[in-house]
Amino acid sequence: MRVLFDNVNLSSDNGPNSFAKKLVHALHEQGHEVSDKAPQGSGDIVLSFIETFVNHEKPLVQRLDGIYFNNQFDYMHQNRNILNTYEKADGVIFQTSFNKDLITKYFGEHKNSIVIRNGAQIELLELVPLLDSFNIDSTGEKISFSEIEGNVWCCASNWRPHKRLWDNIKYYIENREENDVLIVAGRTKDNVAKAWGNHSRFHDKVLKREKIYFAQNMNYSTLLQLYKTSDKFIHLAWLDHCPNVVVDARAMGCQIICSDSGGTKEVAGDNAILIQEQNEWDFKPVKLYDPPALNFDKKIDNIYTQGSNDIRDVAKEYIEFFVRTLEKTR
């Protein structure tokens, strides 16, 4: 099959683009043709990531990783073209069941849809080397993993407020054992002050005592090495959709610790530790960047089992859905 990828940047490692590159590789392995540069009208089917700005001649499948619902912004305007794409799409792929419930609440049911969760390049587990060392962001000091005697915890994100960096740090402090370390990737200079809030004047002392390190920004391959070297990955984000950092960290062998909100639990693995939110979200617009407090004592088991999270199996599901969609458009 020939698939035209729409609204992606395969030179980027961020968000949907990171997943797109993995999917392209798996589809190529299975003998399919994929392009994001082909002229309009080429290929058998178009896979549009989130939204399209083109009137495609070929059948269109929309891949949705969520919609806007932050009431501190004009979320209806932000969703307008996503809805337009949804209405003209011949098929829709939701990343998680949470995404499907959310989007159908706002957009209505789609005539042809499926849930296909994100996958990871499982074959890399044996190929990715362990990380030897990393640099502390503020000082440039190099820390060697050979000097670490306890468990390695890590977290990584684009640290917007609903990603709950401070909660990740607090959870680690309350649950760490002696000699454990926490490595935070994806940090910018402002994030430490924002995360610690009124505690900022104590943070240098606490960071040193609790062995919390803010690493310099890591590229994708280095992040995989960090995950493989780590024992636990913390992602207590509120109402996250299907975070690729969790998918990749799980594939590299980390135990996932996450909130039970959103779609993260669906890709976290059945050995994940879930922290139960105080209240279940009713899908109404909220102040996304003002997440509620967490009670870390409310730990629950994960009842979600994804089955295979191998990108090769995910690619097969995409092709099967493409075939069914093409048959419905004939």
Side-chain angles (χ1 to χ4, degrees):
M1 182 175 291
R2 296 170 300 163
V3 185
L4 174 62
F5 275 35
D6 174 58
N7 198 31
V8 294
N9 178 4
L10 296 179
S11 64
S12 169
D13 285 330
N14 294 332
N17 300 310
S18 172
F19 172 77
K21 289 200 290 189
K22 290 184 282 187
L23 184 59
V24 166
H25 179 75
L27 290 172
H28 278 157
E29 275 191 336
Q30 295 171 20
H32 304 286
E33 296 180 24
V34 183
S35 175
D36 65 331
K37 305 296 184 185
Q40 183 183 350
S42 62
D44 299 308
I45 198 164
V46 178
L47 177 63
S48 182
F49 284 64
I50 303 175
E51 57 187 328
T52 188
F53 300 92
V54 178
N55 289 320
H56 293 283
E57 300 172 15
K58 298 292 183 176
L60 172 68
V61 171
Q62 179 186 30
R63 176 188 178 270
L64 270 174
D65 61 354
I67 57 173
Y68 296 97
F69 51 84
N70 188 341
N71 62 17
Q72 294 176 294
F73 298 92
D74 187 354
Y75 64 90
M76 293 183 67
H77 177 74
Q78 291 174 312
N79 285 330
R80 186 170 299 161
N81 192 52
I82 302 175
L83 174 58
N84 289 339
T85 305
Y86 186 82
E87 290 176 338
K88 68 184 178 183
D90 299 290
V92 173
I93 296 174
F94 301 107
Q95 281 190 107
T96 57
S97 296
F98 165 75
N99 276 152
K100 182 176 181 179
D101 292 342
L102 165 66
I103 292 163
T104 55
K105 179 79 172 179
Y106 283 70
F107 291 177
E109 294 282 346
H110 195 276
K111 60 185 178 182
N112 179 35
S113 69
I114 191 172
V115 172
I116 305 178
R117 298 178 180 91
N118 290 358
Q121 292 173 287
I122 303 295
E123 72 273 15
L124 294 182
L125 179 59
E126 298 299 325
L127 302 176
V128 170
L130 296 172
L131 192 62
D132 293 327
S133 61
F134 62 95
N135 294 324
I136 299 176
D137 199 20
S138 58
T139 65
E141 177 188 356
K142 181 173 285 189
I143 302 293
S144 173
F145 280 97
S146 63
E147 301 170 1
I148 298 173
E149 298 178 358
N151 290 317
V152 177
W153 301 54
C154 72
C155 56
S157 185
N158 175 12
W159 293 111
R160 290 164 290 169
H162 68 296
K163 300 293 185 175
R164 285 174 165 157
L165 173 58
W166 173 230
D167 289 279
N168 285 1
I169 292 170
K170 287 196 295 183
Y171 182 91
Y172 161 77
I173 290 174
E174 292 183 18
N175 291 274
R176 69 184 293 268
E177 297 180 0
E178 188 177 3
N179 299 320
D180 285 2
V181 303
L182 170 64
I183 301 166
V184 180
R187 174 218 174 212
T188 63
K189 290 183 179 179
D190 292 339
N191 287 136
V192 174
K194 289 178 181 177
W196 288 82
N198 294 331
H199 306 278
S200 59
R201 64 193 178 94
F202 302 113
H203 86 262
D204 285 336
K205 185 186 301 183
V206 176
L207 290 174
K208 185 174 182 180
R209 184 186 71 223
E210 304 292 350
K211 298 181 180 178
I212 300 168
Y213 303 108
F214 289 83
Q216 292 181 346
N217 284 336
M218 296 178 174
N219 60 32
Y220 181 66
S221 60
T222 306
L223 279 173
L224 291 182
Q225 290 180 258
L226 173 62
Y227 302 156
K228 185 172 180 179
T229 310
S230 301
D231 302 286
K232 300 175 186 292
F233 185 89
I234 319 175
H235 192 82
L236 294 174
W238 187 42
L239 301 177
D240 214 341
H241 298 282
C242 187
N244 284 297
V245 290
V246 169
V247 174
D248 287 331
R250 175 190 167 194
M252 292 294 110
C254 291
Q255 182 185 28
I256 306 300
I257 301 155
C258 63
S259 159
D260 76 335
S261 70
T264 306
K265 58 185 174 290
E266 297 182 43
V267 294
D270 54 12
N271 71 330
I273 296 173
L274 270 55
I275 306 302
Q276 190 174 35
E277 298 281 351
Q278 303 281 15
N279 297 296
E280 187 174 350
W281 184 43
D282 59 5
F283 292 110
K284 293 180 180 177
V286 292
K287 292 182 179 179
L288 183 63
Y289 289 171
D290 186 20
L294 285 171
N295 180 350
F296 297 148
D297 292 332
K298 290 191 172 184
K299 297 178 182 177
I300 58 176
D301 294 330
N302 193 6
I303 62 172
Y304 286 87
T305 55
Q306 180 181 356
S308 173
N309 68 333
D310 191 325
I311 190 64
R312 292 168 294 194
D313 294 326
V314 171
K316 291 177 184 176
E317 290 187 70
Y318 268 73
I319 291 297
E320 290 170 1
F321 184 68
F322 293 160
V323 170
R324 293 198 299 271
T325 300
L326 287 172
E327 289 175 350
K328 290 182 179 182
T329 61
R330 288 181 180 137

